[in-house]
């Protein structure tokens, strides 16, 4: 069985992002870029499923600029067998990515599609759900445990009341949560092997997908700086300040 894993190139989570002076977006010039952490978990889970013998091939997919090839090479260093890049300079919004992934699902016919539950740059948490709707596939979101056997996927996920376990007929879409696993360290030999693995480059036009943005960002601003805390001498003063200044009680 084949598994398709979507990965996104984002600003590294250790980097403090800065908003452009004109408020049109985030400044990514000379900024370290990495694989979205949730997608890294998805790749790790696919590799673990392959090691268990549940799947036979892992295809990593990314959509975006040519530099996304670096992200795909990282996915192949973790354990993906091959990669596909849908190259475009357009701003890709969740619906456009879902349509591109739908076209690749039709082309590759995977038995399982794994995605991170959200990207740390836009925090949309939409692509997996949109893909499941477009492809008319069952979905399980925020997975903390995934098991594949007998043509079915059993997914455990956290809900408000505790844990929920779902049984899905394959093919299906699963989005991964932080508690699913801890991605392995990528070794130098695997990085060198990844350079020899096949990487196919396609375009949205070749897949017959219109990726024009449907939403327009008006402005982006940094959150206001938090004021410093103060010490109060007693509970009465604290309550008074909460009433008169913070106005929370």
């Amino acid at each position: 069985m084949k598994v398709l894993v979507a990965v996104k190139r984002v600003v590294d989570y250790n980097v403090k992002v800065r908003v452009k002076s004109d408020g049109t977006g985030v400044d990514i010039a000379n900024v370290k870029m990495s694989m979205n952490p949730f997608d890294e978990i998805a790749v790790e889970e696919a590799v673990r499923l392959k090691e268990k013998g549940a799947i036979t091939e892992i295809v990593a997919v990314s959509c975006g600029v040519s530099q996304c090839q670096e992200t795909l090479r990282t996915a192949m260093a973790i354990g993906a067998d091959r990669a596909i890049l849908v190259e475009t300079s357009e701003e890709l919004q969740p619906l456009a990515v879902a349509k591109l992934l739908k076209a690749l699902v039709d082309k590759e016919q995977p038995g399982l599609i794994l995605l991170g539950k959200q990207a740390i740059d836009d925090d949309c948490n939409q692509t997996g759900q949109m893909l499941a709707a477009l492809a008319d596939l069952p979905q399980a979101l925020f997975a903390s445990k995934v098991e594949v056997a007998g043509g079915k996927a059993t997914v455990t996920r956290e809900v408000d009341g505790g844990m929920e376990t779902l049984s899905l007929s394959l093919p299906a879409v699963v989005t991964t949560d932080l508690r699913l696993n801890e991605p392995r360290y990528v070794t130098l030999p695997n990085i060198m092997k990844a350079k020899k693995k096949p990487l196919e480059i396609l375009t949205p036009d070749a897949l017959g997908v219109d990726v024009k943005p449907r939403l327009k960002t008006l402005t982006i601003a940094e959150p206001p700086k938090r004021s410093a805390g103060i010490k109060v001498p007693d509970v009465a003063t604290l309550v008074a300040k909460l009433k008169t200044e913070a106005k929370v009680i």
Side-chain angles (χ1 to χ4, degrees), residues 69-190:
Q69 292 184 46
E70 301 168 10
T71 308
L72 290 170
R73 293 293 179 193
T74 301
M76 289 190 284
I78 295 173
D81 298 295
R82 59 186 176 92
I84 301 172
L85 170 62
V86 183
E87 188 173 340
T88 176
S89 58
E90 284 273 9
E91 175 199 352
L92 292 176
Q93 294 174 351
L95 180 59
V97 176
K99 288 180 177 179
L100 290 171
L101 293 177
K102 162 66 166 57
L104 290 174
V105 167
D106 292 341
K107 178 176 180 288
E108 294 288 334
Q109 295 294 309
L112 179 66
I113 304 99
L114 289 173
L115 308 88
K117 71 171 185 177
Q118 64 194 78
I120 62 171
D121 52 1
D122 55 22
D123 273 336
C124 283
N125 180 20
Q126 295 175 338
T127 306
Q129 295 90 319
M130 289 178 170
L131 172 60
L134 290 171
D136 193 25
L137 294 175
Q139 61 179 316
L141 311 176
F142 318 139
S144 59
K145 184 178 180 182
V146 178
E147 296 177 343
V148 176
K152 290 184 177 294
T154 303
V155 178
T156 302
R157 57 191 297 267
E158 293 184 10
V159 295
D160 291 342
M163 306 296 289
E164 180 181 56
T165 302
L166 303 175
S167 178
L168 294 81
S169 298
L170 298 178
V173 176
V174 176
T175 69
T176 59
D177 206 345
L178 284 174
R179 292 172 182 80
L180 180 58
N181 61 53
E182 184 175 341
R184 67 194 65 193
Y185 178 76
V186 180
T187 62
L188 182 59
N190 286 337

